[in-house]
Amino acid sequence: MSLKRRGVGGIFWYRFKYAGQEFRGTTGTPDLNTARKVENKVRADLHGQDKLGDLPPMTLGEAVKEYFMVQVKPTSVNNLQRSTVWAKGCLAGIVEFFGKDTLISTIATGPEITRFKNWLVKPDPDGPGNAPNTADRKLGMLRAVLRKAIEWGNLATVPEFKLYNMDDSRVRWLTADEEAKLLAACNPELLDVVIFLTDAGCRLSTALQVQWIHIHLKDESGKSFVQFQGEKGHKEKGSKPRSVPLTPRNEAMLRRRWEASAKDRRAVVFAYDAETKLTIKSRAGGRGGVRKRCRPALGKFYGLYHVKARDEWNANIKIENTLKHLGVFKTMEAAAAVRQAAELEYWGPDTEMGFETAWDIALAISKIPDLHVHDLRHTFASRLAMAGINLRQIQEWLGHASIEQTEIYAHLMPSDSVDAAGIAALVNASPGPHLIPK
């Protein structure tokens, strides 16, 4: 980043290089957007005064390729990582719209940015029909590419990007009736994962990395809890090391799995084969296409997605790093059935299905609308808030870096008029024996 805060007042200073020559100075403002405008004006003035000479031309295709190599790829675990796949698709869409041979200097203008912005929300066949939040993310990606081109010395300035700025906060939680339907629709392996996510409040990626060494069942203090190790352990977004108490339902499930396991404290909790540990990335083994038997939650296949503009469901299956499109369907149930059949055809009936297939089938059976796996984490936090648990405590259990992240649940907190009996009723109304960790 070419802008950095300095001093007590938090004033932004710019510092950048063009053609080996360094320029630095103060923007005179603590506001980031204003500071960027000041920096862009300095760059434009320098270019206009020929202090930097003519900027070397760069095509959009070159800029996108360079951006991917220096910004996206270094942070990717592998090419199947969801954020990497999304970034690739987003960059490809930008190139498709403007053309790979188009100079970035012709793109970095207000009218061109507005044309791209308007196209993103146009329904098919005139455009991709993106929701405003999705359009904002794609505009942000284009802006990031152009700003990098300034740092590379191939662009003088970037116009102001006016985003839709829609509220993308989502707090969707399971009702008691919905949870009962979901649990009844899960196969035995998926059931354990859903219980763990709902009662421990972690992300799916974190749950799949938990080892038995992180599970503590009734220690000397009489408490049961799971330890999430944060950045040095589980690779969780914005994670912080924390301990989360186990609900009686979670404790009973984990005891059952431990008794049926090989008693290896270094083994992964949600895996059949202790030898595979954390190396499995997909049911193809993730390494050289070697087939390995593993539990559903370790398969990640980008299975079904809904196209809102056309109210259609697309079914895909990823086999040995290749995404195969299975068709377009009017209902989620039809798409899930085709995807299940394709997976069984490839792997055979004796192989466990991937997590997303199991999840999609459970949703189709339970007929619960608008439910994502991450909503189980929202369910954990929302129920704690509705039961009157302090936001600071919820922040700690969720591993949020700041209280602002947790404040999306503040409106669910009971008012001062809710007495202890009312809070107890909220807790005991939840499925299973006592939702709130003790």
Side-chain angles (χ1 to χ4, degrees):
M1 182 176 177
S2 58
L3 291 171
K4 288 190 177 181
R5 290 185 185 273
R6 286 187 179 180
V8 179
I11 301 298
F12 279 102
W13 285 63
Y14 62 81
R15 180 180 179 181
F16 58 89
K17 281 186 176 181
Y18 269 18
Q21 185 178 359
E22 184 175 281
F23 295 86
R24 66 173 69 188
T26 179
T27 64
T29 176
D31 180 71
L32 180 58
N33 289 330
T34 305
R36 282 174 174 161
K37 291 179 182 178
V38 172
E39 181 196 7
N40 287 339
K41 186 177 184 306
V42 172
R43 292 175 183 268
D45 289 344
L46 288 171
H47 178 52
Q49 296 167 12
D50 292 329
K51 289 188 176 180
L52 300 175
D54 293 331
L55 296 178
M58 175 180 263
T59 66
L60 179 61
E62 294 170 339
V64 163
K65 183 177 180 180
E66 184 70 13
Y67 178 84
F68 181 82
M69 296 302 295
V70 301
Q71 290 295 116
V72 179
K73 193 171 183 179
T75 62
S76 302
V77 176
N78 57 53
N79 288 331
L80 296 181
Q81 184 173 313
R82 184 170 60 179
S83 60
T84 306
V85 173
W86 187 90
K88 277 185 174 180
C90 183
L91 293 171
I94 293 172
V95 172
E96 179 183 359
F97 178 79
F98 290 107
K100 67 176 183 179
D101 296 325
T102 304
L103 295 178
I104 56 174
S105 58
T106 64
I107 296 173
T109 62
E112 283 296 288
I113 301 302
T114 302
R115 188 169 68 91
F116 179 60
K117 176 183 176 181
N118 294 337
W119 173 78
L120 287 173
V121 296
K122 287 183 178 180
D124 185 69
D126 300 321
N130 293 148
N133 289 326
T134 304
D136 278 353
R137 292 186 180 96
K138 292 184 177 181
L139 285 167
M141 181 70 78
L142 174 60
R143 179 173 56 187
V145 172
L146 296 180
R147 284 178 176 170
K148 275 296 173 184
I150 290 179
E151 294 183 16
W152 300 328
N154 299 102
L155 194 63
T157 184
V158 175
E160 182 179 358
F161 276 64
K162 293 184 179 180
L163 306 180
Y164 289 99
N165 290 323
M166 300 292 289
D167 180 14
D168 63 351
S169 59
R170 172 190 170 91
V171 182
R172 162 76 160 95
W173 67 90
L174 286 170
T175 64
D177 181 58
E178 286 177 330
E179 181 174 0
K181 290 180 179 178
L182 178 62
L183 296 181
C186 292
N187 69 40
E189 289 299 321
L190 178 65
L191 177 65
D192 288 353
V193 181
V194 169
I195 289 175
F196 188 80
L197 294 174
T198 306
D199 286 11
C202 64
R203 295 177 176 86
L204 175 63
S205 59
T206 303
L208 302 185
Q209 298 181 63
V210 172
Q211 298 169 268
W212 285 112
I213 196 172
H214 303 131
I215 303 294
H216 300 266
L217 302 174
K218 294 295 184 191
D219 63 3
E220 59 275 5
S221 66
K223 296 180 179 179
S224 299
F225 58 95
V226 55
Q227 287 182 308
F228 298 120
Q229 302 301 309
E231 295 179 358
K232 293 183 179 179
H234 314 136
K235 299 297 183 182
E236 184 180 19
K237 182 181 72 173
S239 60
K240 296 177 64 178
R242 64 193 188 278
S243 296
V244 177
L246 295 174
T247 61
R249 177 171 66 170
N250 235 349
E251 182 179 358
M253 178 272 292
L254 290 169
R255 284 189 183 279
R256 170 173 53 78
R257 293 190 71 91
W258 172 251
E259 292 302 323
S261 71
K263 306 295 190 299
D264 179 3
R265 294 283 291 167
R266 290 289 179 182
V268 179
V269 173
F270 298 107
Y272 285 136
D273 185 1
E275 293 181 359
T276 61
K277 294 186 179 178
L278 304 182
T279 60
I280 295 181
K281 298 299 181 186
S282 71
R283 267 228 319 276
R287 299 186 179 189
V290 180
R291 286 182 61 175
K292 293 185 179 180
R293 309 290 188 191
C294 65
R295 70 157 316 287
L298 292 177
K300 193 86 169 159
F301 288 103
Y302 307 92
L304 307 180
Y305 67 92
H306 186 218
V307 182
K308 292 183 180 179
R310 298 189 293 275
D311 193 23
E312 295 174 342
W313 286 87
N314 284 254
N316 298 323
I317 184 171
K318 184 164 285 188
I319 298 174
E320 296 180 358
N321 297 356
T322 301
L323 186 66
K324 180 181 179 181
H325 182 62
L326 301 176
V328 180
F329 306 88
K330 287 296 183 183
T331 65
M332 180 177 68
E333 292 85 350
V338 170
R339 186 168 183 283
Q340 181 186 18
E343 193 165 85
L344 290 175
E345 179 182 357
Y346 181 80
W347 294 103
D350 61 335
T351 304
E352 297 296 330
M353 67 181 67
F355 174 84
E356 289 202 359
T357 296
W359 174 260
D360 292 338
I361 291 173
L363 289 184
I365 294 174
S366 62
K367 300 186 183 300
I368 300 175
D370 189 33
L371 184 67
H372 305 162
V373 175
H374 195 76
D375 293 333
L376 302 181
R377 178 171 164 89
H378 287 315
T379 298
F380 170 83
S382 298
R383 289 176 174 173
L384 291 174
M386 287 187 286
I389 303 299
N390 185 278
L391 278 180
R392 288 289 182 185
Q393 181 63 75
I394 299 175
Q395 175 194 358
E396 179 182 337
W397 284 340
L398 290 176
H400 284 166
S402 66
I403 192 65
E404 285 77 14
Q405 295 174 274
T406 318
E407 285 177 349
I408 63 173
Y409 307 105
H411 68 287
L412 300 173
M413 301 286 290
S415 64
D416 294 338
S417 62
V418 178
D419 56 16
I423 293 176
L426 282 171
V427 176
N428 294 327
S430 302
H434 299 299
L435 172 74
I436 305 303
K438 292 186 175 181

